[in-house]
Amino acid sequence: TVQGFIASELTVRDAGSHRVVDVVVPYTRRRRDPDGTWRDLGTALWVVASFWDEHADVVLQSCGKGTLVVLA
C-alpha cells in the first residue's frame, strides 16, 4: 500500500479500444525520531498505477495533480 500525492497532470491514452489513465505517485518511507522530527528512509519510489475504461473515467473526475491517494 502506497499513500502519496499525484505528481503530474492526468492524461488519457488509448490502448486499442480502451481508455487508460496513469497515476504517478512518489513514495518515500519515513519514520519519526524521538525528538518528533520526520526522517526519510532512502530514496523515493515512483509508483505508476493504470486505470482502464470506466475506472479511468472515475479517476479523471475525482483526482488531479496534487490529490492525496492511497494505492493498494
Side-chain angles (χ1 to χ4, degrees):
T1 302
V2 172
Q3 178 177 327
F5 296 94
I6 296 175
S8 58
E9 296 298 333
L10 301 179
T11 57
V12 177
R13 63 182 168 88
D14 292 323
S17 62
H18 302 280
R19 293 168 28 96
V20 182
V21 172
D22 295 322
V23 174
V24 180
V25 178
Y27 173 73
T28 305
R29 288 185 42 221
R30 303 179 90 199
R31 73 163 190 194
R32 182 175 263 173
D33 287 340
D35 67 358
T37 59
W38 287 95
R39 180 179 311 273
D40 291 344
L41 302 175
T43 58
L45 170 69
W46 290 81
V47 178
V48 179
S50 298
F51 297 88
W52 293 66
D53 297 324
E54 65 273 1
H55 301 288
D57 295 333
V58 171
V59 170
L60 284 169
Q61 292 173 5
S62 59
C63 298
K65 181 178 180 180
T67 302
L68 179 62
V69 295
V70 177
L71 303 174

